[in-house]
Amino acid sequence: LDDTNVELIASLKPDLVLVAVSSRVSERLRALGIAVIALEPSSYRDVQRVLGIVGQVLGVADSQRVWRRIEAGVAAAAASVPPAARGMKVYYEVAAGLYAAGASSFMGETLARLGAGNIIPADLGPFPKINPEYVVKANPALIMIGSRNAEGLGTRPGWDRIDAVRHGRICVFTPEQGDILARPGPRMAEAAQIMARCLRDKAAS
């Protein structure tokens, strides 16, 4: 966090501080003689790599057991998705201002593993800002969105023509669910289960 109290961290005399690559406090911590490792996983492969790094630093003999648990959980979630939901075109809005989860994001990777389609192609980047008309033209069958951004979804210009809106196939995630879904790490299997439940429920509607 950019408002981190660096002096307080230093007073705790940590052996190591883990920060995001985007954090601006790394150099200040290092200047105080504190060991810092910057990590920022953005894909399934990154998560596996980061788990290995953290495990090595902490001296954990088999850190990849966490990764195997993630993979098993995602596979179980995928197996629970019915044939009717496979290939369903999804629009996943991750933030206000129409920022979407693209196919190259870890959220997009999860959707692909569950057998769903994604209206946002990989070449637009992991979390691109989308024109509202783009979504209308793509006509997703299912919309995933957090509760903070869902208000007024159906009143957006032209969105009443989208299949997902017309048929009520909209999954509104709670803030707690959104927190799980938005963080690439040990809870990715739980995130896959949340998405799979959405696909199961809406495929039947």
Side-chain angles (χ1 to χ4, degrees), residues 3-128:
D3 61 351
T4 299
N5 187 330
V6 174
E7 290 73 22
L8 176 59
I9 292 175
S11 73
L12 297 173
K13 297 181 170 55
D15 296 312
L16 175 68
V17 176
L18 303 178
V19 299
V21 171
S22 58
S23 173
R24 293 191 294 231
V25 301
S26 299
E27 292 309 313
R28 291 173 61 197
L29 290 168
R30 290 190 179 104
L32 294 171
I34 298 171
V36 175
I37 293 182
L39 305 163
E40 198 151 351
S42 59
S43 67
Y44 272 64
R45 180 177 293 180
D46 283 347
V47 171
Q48 183 179 16
R49 177 181 57 80
V50 165
L51 283 170
I53 293 171
V54 174
Q56 183 177 9
V57 169
L58 299 181
V60 176
D62 184 17
S63 61
Q64 289 303 309
R65 70 181 184 276
V66 179
W67 176 251
R68 292 193 296 272
R69 189 164 63 243
I70 292 170
E71 286 279 45
V74 173
S80 74
V81 176
R86 297 192 177 275
M88 183 178 283
K89 292 196 303 180
V90 177
Y91 168 65
Y92 190 152
E93 187 168 304
V94 296
L98 271 76
Y99 286 92
S104 63
S105 69
F106 65 92
M107 293 172 170
E109 287 184 78
T110 300
L111 282 173
R113 289 183 179 221
L114 296 177
N118 191 332
I119 68 165
I120 311 298
D123 59 9
L124 291 183
F127 299 107

Side-chain angles (χ1 to χ4, degrees), residues 85 88 90 114 116 142 144 195-203:
M88 183 178 283
V90 177
L114 296 177
L142 171 65
M144 297 180 177
M195 288 188 189
R197 184 163 55 248
C198 166
L199 288 164
R200 289 196 305 271
D201 292 347
K202 298 308 177 183

